[in-house]
């Protein structure tokens, strides 16, 4: 609940028969520009609208929620046009013959500034598998997004994934929009090195008051193929890391 505080000026009463000098004129006031919505007030309707579009498999509405240059990790990092094609099945971890029964937003955290807002959320999924031996299944998918004023408050980066442990695999394909490593990549590299995880490919982007790194990473093993995973680091402002979303591929 928002409380409004009203400043009250109290004038001292004059003593009877005593002349009082005129009160000085009040200084001119400058109207303050109204504050914009809080990060949570921006984030909740944004995510709820995306979730409704995912459930309805509304490609047009989903596409409109992203900046055209956005890279979407779902789970493999893809440019927007490719990501949207199968975003519903990828986001909800659906196989071709699965039926989505329910998807409910259960957690949403947000923070940021007047120029950029980071978002983290969980969605509880209930599906029915119609393949032989299938049945009902319930699980949680996790999402992270960065929305920015410079992009019309659309998402400039996103990652959504079910819980999955890294698995051994061959080399990744090319990362869409890959860039050279920048200062945020080095921060991510330092954190991953503590777990013996190496960065294989990276996309680092910066905008007005934000930065993001989306990376394909692996964990080398003494025998066999390395364990494959992906990670997204968000910074708001663009030098202050607020979170890392990582998951196995």
């Amino acid at each position: 609940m928002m409380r409004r505080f009203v400043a009250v000026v109290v004038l001292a009463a004059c003593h009877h028969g005593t002349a009082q000098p005129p009160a000085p004129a009040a200084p001119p006031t400058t109207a303050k520009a109204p504050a914009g919505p809080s990060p949570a007030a921006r984030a909740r309707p944004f995510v709820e609208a995306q979730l409704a579009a995912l459930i309805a498999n509304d490609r047009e509405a989903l596409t409109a929620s992203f900046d055209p240059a956005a890279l979407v990790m779902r789970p493999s990092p893809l440019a927007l046009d490719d990501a949207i094609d199968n975003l519903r099945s990828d986001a909800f971890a659906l196989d071709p013959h699965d039926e989505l029964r329910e998807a409910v937003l259960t957690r949403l955290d947000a923070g940021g500034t007047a120029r950029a807002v980071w978002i983290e959320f969980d969605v509880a999924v209930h599906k029915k598998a119609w393949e032989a031996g299938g049945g009902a299944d319930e699980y949680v998918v996790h999402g992270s997004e960065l929305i920015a004023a410079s992009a019309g408050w659309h998402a400039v980066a996103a990652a959504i994934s079910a819980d999955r442990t890294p698995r051994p695999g061959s080399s990744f394909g090319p990362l869409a929009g890959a860039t050279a490593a920048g200062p945020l990549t080095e921060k991510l590299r330092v954190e991953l090195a503590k777990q013996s995880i190496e960065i294989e490919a990276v996309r680092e982007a910066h905008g007005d008051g934000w930065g993001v790194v989306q990376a394909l990473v692996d964990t080398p093993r003494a025998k066999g193929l390395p364990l494959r995973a992906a990670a997204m680091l968000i910074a708001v402002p663009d030098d202050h890391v607020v979170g890392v979303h990582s998951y196995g591929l």
Side-chain angles (χ1 to χ4, degrees):
M1 178 178 68
M2 182 176 68
R3 297 181 179 178
R4 297 183 181 273
F5 294 88
V6 181
V8 179
V9 178
V10 180
L11 300 179
C14 299
H15 293 288
H16 179 70
T18 304
Q20 297 292 327
T29 59
T30 303
K32 293 183 178 180
S38 68
R42 287 196 187 278
R44 181 165 291 278
F46 182 85
V47 172
E48 288 176 343
Q50 280 190 323
L51 182 57
L54 278 170
I55 292 171
N57 205 17
D58 186 339
R59 178 189 174 95
E60 183 176 351
L62 280 173
T63 302
S65 70
F66 290 97
D67 181 76
L71 186 67
V72 184
M73 305 175 72
R74 29 67 60 210
S76 299
L78 295 175
L80 185 59
D81 285 346
D82 294 326
I84 292 294
D85 285 340
N86 297 299
L87 187 56
R88 182 177 187 270
S89 58
D90 289 336
F92 295 140
L94 302 175
D95 291 326
H97 298 291
D98 290 348
E99 175 190 350
L100 178 65
R101 293 286 181 85
E102 189 177 39
V104 178
L105 183 66
T106 57
R107 180 184 70 89
L108 186 145
D109 295 321
T113 67
R115 295 184 292 171
V117 170
W118 57 265
I119 307 169
E120 293 183 353
F121 60 90
D122 291 341
V123 175
V125 176
H126 178 202
K127 75 175 183 180
K128 168 68 176 178
W130 291 104
E131 295 285 357
D137 195 7
E138 297 182 5
Y139 48 91
V140 174
V141 296
H142 311 285
S144 299
E145 295 192 83
L146 176 61
I147 61 176
S150 59
W153 291 112
H154 295 146
V156 294
I160 187 165
S161 65
D163 287 328
R164 62 174 80 208
T165 57
R167 293 173 292 183
S170 56
S171 180
F172 296 113
L175 174 64
T179 67
L184 287 180
T185 300
E186 293 308 311
K187 291 186 178 184
L188 179 61
R189 194 187 308 279
V190 169
E191 289 303 311
L192 295 178
K194 298 174 184 177
Q195 306 171 59
S196 301
I197 300 174
E198 300 176 355
I199 294 176
E200 181 171 316
V202 67
R203 172 186 180 263
E204 179 166 337
H206 294 261
D208 182 18
W210 59 267
V212 66
V213 174
Q214 292 163 297
L216 299 174
V217 303
D218 58 39
T219 304
R221 300 189 299 164
K223 294 183 179 180
L225 295 171
L227 302 177
R228 303 297 185 181
M232 182 172 79
L233 176 149
I234 293 175
V236 178
D238 64 351
D239 60 350
H240 176 66
V241 177
V242 293
V244 177
H245 181 148
S246 61
Y247 55 90
L249 293 175

Coordinates of all heavy atoms in Angstrom, one line a residue, residues 128-182:
K128 N 0.6 -33.4 -19.9 CA 0.2 -34.8 -20.1 C 1.0 -35.4 -21.3 O 0.9 -34.8 -22.4 CB -1.3 -34.9 -20.3 CG -1.8 -36.3 -20.8 CD -1.7 -37.3 -19.8 CE -2.3 -38.6 -20.3 NZ -2.2 -39.7 -19.3
A129 N 1.7 -36.5 -21.1 CA 2.4 -37.1 -22.2 C 1.6 -38.2 -22.8 O 1.1 -39.1 -22.0 CB 3.7 -37.6 -21.7
W130 N 1.3 -38.2 -24.1 CA 0.5 -39.2 -24.7 C 1.3 -40.3 -25.4 O 0.7 -41.2 -26.0 CB -0.4 -38.5 -25.7 CG -1.5 -37.6 -25.1 CD1 -1.5 -36.2 -25.0 CD2 -2.6 -38.0 -24.4 NE1 -2.5 -35.8 -24.3 CE2 -3.3 -36.9 -23.9 CE3 -3.2 -39.3 -24.1 CZ2 -4.5 -36.9 -23.2 CZ3 -4.4 -39.3 -23.4 CH2 -5.0 -38.2 -23.0
E131 N 2.6 -40.2 -25.4 CA 3.4 -41.3 -25.9 C 3.2 -42.5 -25.0 O 2.7 -42.5 -23.9 CB 4.9 -40.9 -25.9 CG 5.2 -39.8 -26.8 CD 5.2 -40.2 -28.3 OE1 5.0 -41.3 -28.6 OE2 5.5 -39.3 -29.1
A132 N 3.5 -43.7 -25.6 CA 3.3 -45.0 -24.9 C 4.1 -44.9 -23.6 O 5.2 -44.6 -23.5 CB 3.8 -46.1 -25.8
G133 N 3.4 -45.3 -22.5 CA 4.0 -45.3 -21.2 C 4.0 -43.9 -20.6 O 4.6 -43.7 -19.4
G134 N 3.5 -42.9 -21.2 CA 3.6 -41.5 -20.7 C 2.5 -41.3 -19.6 O 1.6 -42.2 -19.4
G135 N 2.5 -40.2 -19.0 CA 1.6 -39.9 -17.9 C 1.7 -38.4 -17.6 O 2.3 -37.6 -18.3
A136 N 1.1 -38.0 -16.5 CA 1.1 -36.6 -16.1 C 2.5 -36.3 -15.5 O 3.1 -37.1 -14.9 CB 0.0 -36.3 -15.1
D137 N 2.9 -35.1 -15.7 CA 4.2 -34.7 -15.2 C 4.1 -33.2 -14.8 O 3.4 -32.4 -15.4 CB 5.3 -34.8 -16.3 CG 6.7 -34.7 -15.7 OD1 6.8 -34.7 -14.5 OD2 7.6 -34.7 -16.5
E138 N 4.7 -32.9 -13.6 CA 4.8 -31.5 -13.1 C 6.2 -31.1 -12.8 O 7.0 -31.9 -12.3 CB 3.9 -31.4 -11.9 CG 2.4 -31.7 -12.1 CD 1.6 -31.5 -10.8 OE1 2.2 -31.1 -9.8 OE2 0.4 -31.8 -10.8
Y139 N 6.6 -29.9 -13.2 CA 7.9 -29.5 -13.0 C 8.0 -27.9 -13.1 O 6.9 -27.3 -13.4 CB 8.9 -30.1 -14.0 CG 8.4 -30.0 -15.4 CD1 8.8 -28.9 -16.2 CD2 7.6 -31.0 -15.9 CE1 8.3 -28.8 -17.5 CE2 7.2 -30.9 -17.2 CZ 7.5 -29.8 -18.0 OH 7.0 -29.8 -19.3
V140 N 9.1 -27.4 -12.8 CA 9.3 -25.9 -12.8 C 10.3 -25.5 -13.9 O 11.3 -26.1 -14.0 CB 9.7 -25.4 -11.4 CG1 10.0 -23.9 -11.5 CG2 8.7 -25.7 -10.4
V141 N 9.9 -24.5 -14.6 CA 10.9 -23.9 -15.6 C 11.3 -22.5 -15.0 O 10.5 -21.8 -14.3 CB 10.4 -23.7 -17.0 CG1 10.1 -25.1 -17.6 CG2 9.1 -22.9 -17.0
H142 N 12.5 -22.1 -15.3 CA 13.1 -20.9 -14.7 C 13.4 -19.9 -15.9 O 13.9 -20.3 -17.0 CB 14.4 -21.2 -14.0 CG 14.3 -22.3 -13.0 ND1 13.6 -22.1 -11.8 CD2 14.7 -23.6 -13.1 CE1 13.7 -23.3 -11.1 NE2 14.3 -24.2 -11.9
G143 N 13.1 -18.6 -15.7 CA 13.4 -17.6 -16.7 C 14.1 -16.4 -16.2 O 14.0 -16.1 -15.0
S144 N 14.9 -15.8 -17.1 CA 15.6 -14.6 -16.8 C 15.5 -13.7 -18.0 O 15.6 -14.2 -19.1 CB 17.1 -14.8 -16.4 OG 17.2 -15.6 -15.3
E145 N 15.2 -12.4 -17.8 CA 15.1 -11.5 -18.9 C 15.7 -10.1 -18.5 O 15.7 -9.8 -17.3 CB 13.6 -11.3 -19.4 CG 13.0 -12.6 -19.9 CD 11.7 -12.3 -20.6 OE1 11.7 -11.9 -21.8 OE2 10.7 -12.5 -20.0
L146 N 16.0 -9.4 -19.5 CA 16.4 -8.0 -19.4 C 15.6 -7.1 -20.3 O 15.6 -7.4 -21.5 CB 17.9 -7.9 -19.7 CG 18.5 -6.4 -19.6 CD1 18.4 -5.9 -18.2 CD2 20.0 -6.5 -20.1
I147 N 14.8 -6.2 -19.7 CA 14.1 -5.3 -20.6 C 14.7 -3.9 -20.4 O 15.2 -3.5 -19.3 CB 12.6 -5.3 -20.2 CG1 12.3 -4.9 -18.8 CG2 12.0 -6.7 -20.5 CD1 10.8 -4.8 -18.4
A148 N 14.6 -3.1 -21.5 CA 15.3 -1.8 -21.4 C 14.5 -0.7 -22.1 O 13.8 -0.9 -23.0 CB 16.7 -2.0 -22.2
A149 N 14.7 0.5 -21.5 CA 14.0 1.7 -22.0 C 14.4 2.0 -23.4 O 13.7 2.4 -24.3 CB 14.2 2.9 -21.1
S150 N 15.7 1.8 -23.7 CA 16.3 2.1 -25.0 C 15.7 1.2 -26.1 O 15.8 1.5 -27.3 CB 17.8 1.9 -25.0 OG 18.2 0.6 -24.6
A151 N 15.1 0.1 -25.7 CA 14.4 -0.9 -26.6 C 12.9 -0.8 -26.5 O 12.2 -1.7 -26.9 CB 14.9 -2.3 -26.4
G152 N 12.4 0.3 -26.0 CA 11.0 0.5 -25.9 C 10.4 -0.4 -24.8 O 9.2 -0.8 -24.9
W153 N 11.2 -0.8 -23.8 CA 10.8 -1.7 -22.7 C 10.4 -3.1 -23.3 O 9.5 -3.8 -22.8 CB 9.7 -1.2 -21.8 CG 10.2 0.0 -21.0 CD1 9.8 1.3 -21.1 CD2 11.2 -0.1 -20.0 NE1 10.5 2.0 -20.2 CE2 11.4 1.2 -19.5 CE3 12.0 -1.1 -19.4 CZ2 12.3 1.6 -18.5 CZ3 12.9 -0.8 -18.4 CH2 13.0 0.5 -18.0
H154 N 11.1 -3.5 -24.3 CA 11.1 -4.9 -24.8 C 12.3 -5.6 -24.3 O 13.2 -5.0 -23.8 CB 11.1 -4.9 -26.3 CG 9.9 -4.3 -26.9 ND1 9.9 -3.6 -28.1 CD2 8.6 -4.2 -26.5 CE1 8.7 -3.1 -28.4 NE2 7.9 -3.5 -27.5
A155 N 12.3 -6.9 -24.4 CA 13.4 -7.8 -23.9 C 14.6 -7.7 -24.9 O 14.4 -8.0 -26.1 CB 12.9 -9.2 -23.7
V156 N 15.7 -7.4 -24.3 CA 16.9 -7.4 -25.2 C 17.7 -8.7 -25.0 O 18.6 -9.0 -25.8 CB 17.9 -6.2 -24.8 CG1 17.2 -4.9 -25.2 CG2 18.2 -6.2 -23.4
A157 N 17.4 -9.5 -24.0 CA 18.0 -10.8 -23.8 C 17.1 -11.6 -22.9 O 16.4 -11.1 -22.0 CB 19.4 -10.7 -23.2
A158 N 17.1 -12.9 -23.1 CA 16.3 -13.8 -22.3 C 16.8 -15.2 -22.3 O 17.6 -15.6 -23.2 CB 14.8 -13.9 -22.9
A159 N 16.5 -15.9 -21.2 CA 16.9 -17.3 -21.0 C 15.8 -18.0 -20.3 O 15.3 -17.5 -19.3 CB 18.2 -17.5 -20.3
I160 N 15.4 -19.2 -20.8 CA 14.3 -20.0 -20.1 C 14.7 -21.4 -20.2 O 15.1 -21.9 -21.3 CB 12.9 -19.7 -20.7 CG1 11.9 -20.4 -19.8 CG2 12.8 -20.0 -22.1 CD1 10.5 -19.8 -20.1
S161 N 14.6 -22.1 -19.1 CA 15.0 -23.5 -19.1 C 14.4 -24.3 -17.9 O 14.1 -23.7 -16.9 CB 16.6 -23.6 -18.9 OG 16.9 -23.1 -17.6
A162 N 14.2 -25.6 -18.2 CA 13.8 -26.5 -17.1 C 15.1 -26.9 -16.4 O 16.2 -26.7 -16.9 CB 13.1 -27.7 -17.6
D163 N 15.0 -27.5 -15.2 CA 16.2 -28.0 -14.5 C 16.8 -29.1 -15.3 O 16.1 -30.1 -15.6 CB 15.8 -28.5 -13.1 CG 15.4 -27.4 -12.1 OD1 16.0 -26.3 -12.3 OD2 14.5 -27.6 -11.3
R164 N 18.0 -29.0 -15.7 CA 18.7 -30.0 -16.4 C 20.2 -30.0 -16.1 O 20.8 -28.9 -16.0 CB 18.4 -30.0 -17.9 CG 18.9 -28.7 -18.6 CD 18.8 -28.9 -20.1 NE 17.4 -28.6 -20.5 CZ 16.8 -29.1 -21.6 NH1 17.5 -29.9 -22.3 NH2 15.6 -28.8 -21.9
T165 N 20.8 -31.1 -15.8 CA 22.2 -31.2 -15.5 C 23.0 -31.2 -16.8 O 22.5 -31.7 -17.9 CB 22.5 -32.4 -14.7 OG1 22.1 -33.6 -15.4 CG2 21.8 -32.3 -13.3
P166 N 24.2 -30.6 -16.8 CA 25.0 -30.7 -18.1 C 25.3 -32.1 -18.5 O 25.5 -33.0 -17.6 CB 26.3 -30.0 -17.6 CG 25.9 -29.1 -16.5 CD 24.8 -29.9 -15.8
R167 N 25.3 -32.4 -19.8 CA 25.5 -33.7 -20.3 C 26.7 -33.6 -21.3 O 26.9 -32.6 -21.9 CB 24.3 -34.2 -21.1 CG 23.1 -34.5 -20.1 CD 21.8 -34.8 -20.9 NE 21.4 -33.7 -21.7 CZ 20.2 -33.7 -22.4 NH1 19.5 -34.8 -22.5 NH2 19.9 -32.6 -23.1
P168 N 27.4 -34.8 -21.5 CA 28.5 -34.7 -22.4 C 28.0 -34.6 -23.8 O 26.9 -35.1 -24.2 CB 29.2 -36.1 -22.2 CG 28.1 -37.0 -21.6 CD 27.3 -36.0 -20.8
G169 N 28.7 -33.9 -24.7 CA 28.3 -33.7 -26.0 C 29.4 -33.2 -26.9 O 30.5 -32.7 -26.4
S170 N 29.2 -33.2 -28.2 CA 30.2 -32.7 -29.1 C 30.2 -31.2 -29.2 O 29.4 -30.6 -28.5 CB 30.0 -33.3 -30.5 OG 28.7 -33.0 -31.0
S171 N 31.1 -30.6 -30.0 CA 31.2 -29.2 -30.0 C 29.9 -28.5 -30.4 O 29.1 -29.0 -31.2 CB 32.3 -28.8 -31.0 OG 32.4 -27.4 -31.0
F172 N 29.7 -27.3 -29.8 CA 28.5 -26.5 -30.2 C 28.6 -26.0 -31.6 O 29.6 -25.9 -32.2 CB 28.4 -25.3 -29.3 CG 28.2 -25.6 -27.8 CD1 29.2 -25.3 -26.9 CD2 27.0 -26.2 -27.4 CE1 29.0 -25.6 -25.6 CE2 26.8 -26.5 -26.0 CZ 27.8 -26.2 -25.1
G173 N 27.4 -25.7 -32.2 CA 27.4 -25.0 -33.4 C 27.7 -23.6 -33.2 O 27.9 -23.1 -32.0
P174 N 27.7 -22.7 -34.2 CA 28.0 -21.3 -34.0 C 27.0 -20.6 -33.2 O 25.8 -20.9 -33.2 CB 28.0 -20.7 -35.5 CG 27.2 -21.7 -36.2 CD 27.4 -23.0 -35.6
L175 N 27.4 -19.7 -32.3 CA 26.6 -18.9 -31.5 C 26.1 -17.7 -32.3 O 26.9 -16.9 -32.8 CB 27.3 -18.4 -30.2 CG 26.6 -17.5 -29.3 CD1 25.4 -18.2 -28.7 CD2 27.5 -17.0 -28.2
A176 N 24.7 -17.5 -32.3 CA 24.2 -16.4 -33.1 C 24.7 -15.1 -32.5 O 24.6 -14.9 -31.3 CB 22.7 -16.5 -33.0
G177 N 25.2 -14.2 -33.3 CA 25.6 -12.9 -32.9 C 26.8 -12.9 -32.0 O 27.0 -12.0 -31.2
A178 N 27.7 -13.9 -32.1 CA 28.9 -14.0 -31.3 C 29.7 -12.8 -31.4 O 29.8 -12.2 -32.5 CB 29.7 -15.3 -31.7
T179 N 30.4 -12.4 -30.3 CA 31.2 -11.2 -30.2 C 32.6 -11.6 -29.6 O 32.7 -12.7 -29.0 CB 30.6 -10.1 -29.4 OG1 30.5 -10.5 -28.1 CG2 29.2 -9.7 -30.0
A180 N 33.5 -10.6 -29.6 CA 34.7 -10.8 -28.8 C 34.3 -10.6 -27.3 O 33.3 -10.0 -27.0 CB 35.7 -9.7 -29.2
A181 N 35.2 -11.2 -26.5 CA 35.0 -11.1 -25.0 C 35.2 -9.7 -24.6 O 36.1 -9.0 -25.1 CB 35.9 -12.0 -24.3
G182 N 34.3 -9.2 -23.7 CA 34.4 -7.9 -23.2 C 34.6 -7.9 -21.6 O 34.8 -9.0 -21.1

